Amino acid sequence: MIRRGYIARFVMMVVCLWTATAVAAGNDEAVSDSGTTGQPPAVEDVAEEQTFEEPHEQPLQGMEIETHRIAEASVGYRFVGTSDNGVRAAEYDYLHSSLAGGARFSHLGKDLKLDVDGAFLNTEDYFANLMADYGGYYRLTARTESLFHNLDHVPRDLNIFDDPDREARYGVNTRQDTIQFRYKLHDYPIHLNLSHWLIDREGTQQRRYADFSFEDYYHNILILTEPPIVPGSKLYFRSRSVKQVSSEGTAGFDAHLGPVNVVYSFLFREFDNGESTPIQDYKALTGPTEHNEDPESRYHSHTVKLYTSPAGGITGAASYTYGRRENLSSLTSVVGAANVKDTIQNAAGDFTYSPCAWFTTAIKYRHLTIDRDTPSTLFIPSLSTQTVTLRQGIDTRKDTISANLTIRPNMLMSVNGEYQGVFQHRSNTGTTDPNTMWNLPEDSDTHKGILTVLFRPIKGFRLRGLYEYTTTSHPLYDSDPEQKHEGRLLATYTNSSRWGASANYRIAREWNDRISRTTHPELPDSPETYVLPRDRNFVHASVGFWVSPIDRFTVSGNFGYLRTRAEQAILFATVFNGMNAATEYVSQGEIYSVNAAYHASEKLDLSLAYQLVHSRSTFKPGSTTSDGTPTDGISELSRIKTVEHSLSARADYRLMKHFGCSLDYTYRAYDNRLSSEGDGAVHEVTALLKTSW
């Protein structure tokens, strides 16, 4: 099915190409009418007189400017075949055969410069670009692109799962359009700037939510000694359409006012959701209730920037932004959610000093303030207590200061040191009473130091080392580290044009001893607070090489290794005490790739590429929790082990000067080693005929 708006965009691209061709044809006629030299006829006497009186250099407006034009086009067909489930094997491919092709036209003249190009794989995967400039006074750039993303359909066969669309295929198409226009006021150093940006998402996805019957739970818990069975509870899987559009427009100007440049811009952005909010009759609520809303929103801002010329030993810049963000929720079962507004203010200042070629220092300051205006109550008719008192939103103030120092004593070595301090303050936090304020740290200070050394001991060899240390007084979130050490080492070597190699190694360790959780068990048990420290390690490494043993033939290979290991105590439940246990999580992957390219002759180019990816992860809790509850089956349920293959081959052949063809084959496979879920392969063959003139 051809997607809404596709024909209009395709017609627009064709019109651009037609307009470019017409402009080029018009220029050809103008040149032919004026003679072979491109100049109007001149009287011989006048020409002889100018030969003695005028200098040899001709003025620009009288010079002959050669016009360059390039036109290319290709058309063909793309064959796609799948075996089993190809969604994970080719996650970002639209798995349907279709026409394919592309085109480009480029015109570079004295006044007009025009470049239009595009490529088409199918109705969901394409792009088109337009760049036009006339005399340096008018400049227009535009781009449209589309990409399809296949989404998983999680299958479950247990009675607790309710999925009426077990055979549904899910995917979302994302289209992005950008257009920018710039106008220079002739001899004045002022530019007017206009731009528009749009991103459109359309498709279907799987929505998952739960409905729990508290009445059945308490009824069964009184009559059973085993864990209670709650027949009224379900996990619902439903298909949901996606129709979301985010658009943004900007208008402003920039001007050169002597030693200072000024920039002003106004931005307006909005998010529109074309689908209605789902409704469910929850067992614990009265009447139909909306859930999983994607609220619409609106944002606008004003920005002013001042900066000096980048040339010279001292440069400076300053900017200020005032913005307003509004929540446009359309809920009817919850009244008051739309009355939420955020006021955002940004300020920044930069200063750079470079007195000589071997010394540079820079200081940067950033300030962010977010003031949230939230309602004090919500009205929810489906609850027994229909008026709900809300905790006030968190106001944020963030200041960032950084200082950078670079020393280059000679051509062989350079040293860079950087300090960054982040100071954050948040209001309406710092208490354990969840009814009045948020149980989050009020202040958090982060200090980071980075030392980088670049060394070139011999020709062709480059060595770069980095060490980074970060400490945070009160991490804002559990994912933030309290302390972190990180080291990196990068080495590259190139021997003439025959071979080269590179190696990269990164190691990091971070920990956080401030993570805690408080249970809320049923009476007569009282709440308990558990400290859950985390220690995490990263190791990332890669090795690559390329070699050209003979002329016109190059082979390259790469190996990548990524490993993450975390040790942390966790709670398996917060409605009971004693459900904590030590756990270990390990995620690891290896990537192997080989590429070869061969310029067989002036008419034939060949290329081949292969990639193999091994991925696995394990979650290993202790055999029992602190109260003796066994954890059997949890590790097996969460284990992942997959292998992915990717093979591509391409041949380009030039039949004659202006005509050629190409054949491209791609094979991708996804193999789940622990089950058959997601297994599948995709074959793609694309054949194109090309022409250029």
Side-chain angles (χ1 to χ4, degrees):
M1 181 179 66
I2 296 181
R3 189 174 173 275
R4 173 179 57 84
Y6 159 70
I7 295 179
R9 293 192 296 275
F10 180 74
V11 170
M12 182 189 73
M13 184 174 68
V14 173
V15 169
C16 291
L17 290 171
W18 176 82
T19 304
T21 307
V23 171
N27 290 339
D28 287 340
E29 293 177 1
V31 172
S32 61
D33 290 342
S34 61
T36 58
T37 63
Q39 303 295 329
V43 180
E44 294 182 1
D45 295 340
V46 175
E48 293 178 359
E49 181 179 355
Q50 289 180 348
T51 303
F52 293 98
E53 296 181 358
E54 297 292 335
H56 293 290
E57 293 81 2
Q58 300 181 18
L60 181 61
Q61 59 270 22
M63 294 180 60
E64 178 182 357
I65 304 298
E66 183 180 0
T67 299
H68 296 274
R69 299 183 189 89
I70 299 175
E72 300 174 348
S74 63
V75 64
Y77 199 82
R78 176 173 171 264
F79 302 87
V80 179
T82 61
S83 59
D84 297 328
N85 184 6
V87 170
R88 293 189 183 179
E91 185 176 356
Y92 294 96
D93 274 7
Y94 191 57
L95 304 180
H96 297 275
S97 301
S98 65
L99 289 172
R104 182 188 179 189
F105 177 81
S106 180
H107 172 92
L108 301 178
K110 175 183 176 181
D111 294 322
L112 178 63
K113 298 173 179 61
L114 179 68
D115 191 6
V116 184
D117 71 305
F120 176 85
L121 287 179
N122 48 64
T123 57
E124 310 294 339
D125 294 283
Y126 58 85
F127 79 89
N129 292 304
L130 168 67
M131 191 284 292
D133 184 286
Y134 184 80
Y137 297 109
Y138 306 91
R139 179 176 299 176
L140 176 68
T141 60
R143 178 177 176 85
T144 180
E145 56 186 334
S146 179
L147 176 68
F148 190 79
H149 184 194
N150 295 294
L151 302 177
D152 282 336
H153 184 159
V154 178
R156 292 292 183 266
D157 297 327
L158 301 178
N159 293 331
I160 195 174
F161 294 96
D162 185 351
D163 184 4
D165 302 324
R166 293 180 178 270
E167 302 301 324
R169 290 290 186 94
Y170 297 121
V172 174
N173 172 267
T174 300
R175 175 175 62 91
Q176 185 171 214
D177 298 333
T178 304
I179 183 169
Q180 297 175 331
F181 175 74
R182 185 177 187 182
Y183 171 63
K184 183 179 184 298
L185 273 67
H186 295 279
D187 296 331
Y188 298 96
I190 300 176
H191 296 92
L192 300 180
N193 304 301
L194 299 172
S195 68
H196 181 264
W197 169 83
L198 179 144
I199 185 168
D200 181 5
R201 297 181 177 91
E202 186 172 338
T204 57
Q205 64 181 4
Q206 188 180 46
R207 184 181 70 255
R208 311 173 191 120
Y209 60 97
D211 188 8
F212 188 82
S213 175
F214 289 93
E215 293 182 358
D216 291 343
Y217 173 78
Y218 285 110
H219 173 74
N220 284 277
I221 201 172
L222 293 175
I223 62 176
L224 298 175
T225 57
E226 298 294 329
I229 301 174
V230 190
S233 298
K234 289 283 187 180
L235 292 177
Y236 292 92
F237 292 178
R238 293 290 186 268
S239 299
R240 183 181 183 182
S241 297
V242 177
K243 291 183 179 180
Q244 300 175 351
V245 177
S246 297
S247 59
E248 175 183 294
T250 61
F253 67 88
D254 61 84
H256 177 68
L257 305 178
V260 179
N261 300 303
V262 180
V263 178
Y264 168 78
S265 65
F266 171 75
L267 181 148
F268 181 82
R269 181 191 304 140
E270 62 180 355
F271 168 73
D272 296 321
N273 186 13
E275 288 295 321
S276 59
T277 302
I279 299 177
Q280 172 73 17
D281 286 321
Y282 286 99
K283 297 178 175 60
L285 302 176
T286 303
T289 303
E290 296 167 303
H291 64 97
N292 288 84
E293 183 200 21
D294 295 318
E296 296 183 345
S297 61
R298 182 167 53 224
Y299 173 78
H300 69 273
S301 68
H302 302 268
T303 300
V304 178
K305 298 180 181 179
L306 302 174
Y307 63 95
T308 63
S309 173
I314 300 178
T315 61
S319 68
Y320 173 76
T321 299
Y322 174 88
R324 186 81 166 177
R325 182 171 55 201
E326 302 177 56
N327 181 13
L328 305 179
S329 173
S330 59
L331 292 176
T332 58
S333 59
V334 177
V335 180
N339 300 323
V340 178
K341 299 179 179 64
D342 294 343
T343 300
I344 304 172
Q345 298 183 72
N346 274 297
D350 295 352
F351 174 79
T352 303
Y353 178 51
S354 302
C356 56
W358 58 270
F359 178 83
T360 301
T361 183
I363 299 176
K364 299 181 180 181
Y365 171 73
R366 302 289 185 268
H367 175 79
L368 169 65
T369 300
I370 303 177
D371 295 323
R372 292 183 169 88
D373 182 11
T374 57
S376 58
T377 60
L378 289 179
F379 180 72
I380 308 177
S382 60
L383 297 179
S384 57
T385 304
Q386 297 182 347
T387 301
V388 178
T389 302
L390 299 180
R391 288 173 288 184
Q392 291 302 295
I394 300 175
D395 296 333
T396 302
R397 187 182 71 244
K398 180 180 178 181
D399 295 284
T400 304
I401 301 175
S402 63
N404 187 285
L405 178 66
T406 302
I407 301 176
R408 294 174 291 273
N410 51 53
M411 297 298 295
L412 300 180
M413 185 177 67
S414 65
V415 180
N416 178 271
E418 182 178 354
Y419 163 79
Q420 184 181 91
V422 181
F423 308 93
Q424 300 189 63
H425 173 78
R426 305 192 297 185
S427 62
N428 300 322
T429 64
T431 180
T432 58
D433 184 2
N435 296 319
T436 58
M437 300 176 70
W438 300 89
N439 184 19
L440 295 169
E442 187 176 60
D443 296 291
S444 177
D445 298 341
T446 300
H447 302 273
K448 179 189 294 185
I450 303 175
L451 178 64
T452 305
V453 178
L454 180 62
F455 189 48
R456 306 178 186 88
I458 58 176
K459 182 180 179 180
F461 183 67
R462 178 187 177 97
L463 184 65
R464 180 175 179 266
L466 178 146
Y467 171 73
E468 176 183 320
Y469 174 71
T470 304
T471 177
T472 302
S473 59
H474 299 90
L476 297 176
Y477 305 100
D478 292 345
S479 58
D480 296 335
E482 186 179 0
Q483 291 189 57
K484 179 181 178 180
H485 296 269
E486 180 175 341
R488 301 181 190 178
L489 187 63
L490 173 65
T492 60
Y493 180 72
T494 301
N495 184 338
S496 164
S497 60
R498 286 300 182 184
W499 68 277
S502 64
N504 185 16
Y505 183 75
R506 173 178 178 255
I507 183 171
R509 182 188 179 190
E510 61 182 40
W511 58 90
N512 188 342
D513 294 334
R514 297 178 181 268
I515 304 174
S516 64
R517 289 290 184 274
T518 301
T519 61
H520 47 89
E522 301 173 0
L523 296 175
D525 293 339
S526 58
E528 291 186 6
T529 300
Y530 295 86
V531 178
L532 310 172
R534 182 186 65 239
D535 190 347
R536 185 160 54 181
N537 298 272
F538 304 89
V539 176
H540 298 169
S542 65
V543 178
F545 75 94
W546 65 270
V547 60
S548 182
I550 59 176
D551 292 339
R552 302 184 298 182
F553 179 64
T554 303
V555 178
S556 63
N558 292 276
F559 168 74
Y561 174 81
L562 301 94
R563 177 181 171 88
T564 301
R565 181 176 179 271
E567 293 182 347
Q568 182 176 0
I570 66 170
L571 287 179
F572 285 98
T574 58
V575 295
F576 305 104
N577 291 331
M579 297 297 291
N580 59 309
T583 64
E584 179 189 54
Y585 174 76
V586 178
S587 176
Q588 183 172 317
E590 299 95 25
I591 304 173
Y592 307 84
S593 65
V594 178
N595 303 273
Y598 181 46
H599 183 56
S601 65
E602 294 300 324
K603 292 187 175 183
L604 179 63
D605 289 325
L606 303 173
S607 63
L608 182 68
Y610 175 73
Q611 180 175 276
L612 173 65
V613 180
H614 284 275
S615 302
R616 53 189 175 276
S617 66
T618 57
F619 177 73
K620 301 178 182 178
S623 58
T624 61
T625 61
S626 59
D627 68 350
T629 303
T631 61
D632 298 341
I634 295 180
S635 180
E636 291 76 12
L637 183 65
S638 60
R639 184 175 292 120
I640 297 175
K641 187 176 183 180
T642 63
V643 177
E644 298 177 65
H645 301 269
S646 176
L647 174 67
S648 63
R650 182 180 179 89
D652 287 283
Y653 186 72
R654 286 167 288 280
L655 299 171
M656 55 187 68
K657 181 179 180 181
H658 298 291
F659 292 94
C661 62
S662 68
L663 184 65
D664 194 334
Y665 170 74
T666 302
Y667 169 76
R668 285 189 284 266
Y670 180 89
D671 182 12
N672 189 340
R673 293 300 178 90
L674 301 179
S675 70
S676 60
E677 181 180 344
D679 284 354
V682 175
H683 301 263
E684 298 178 10
V685 177
T686 304
L688 296 174
L689 292 176
K690 302 179 180 180
T691 181
S692 62
W693 62 95

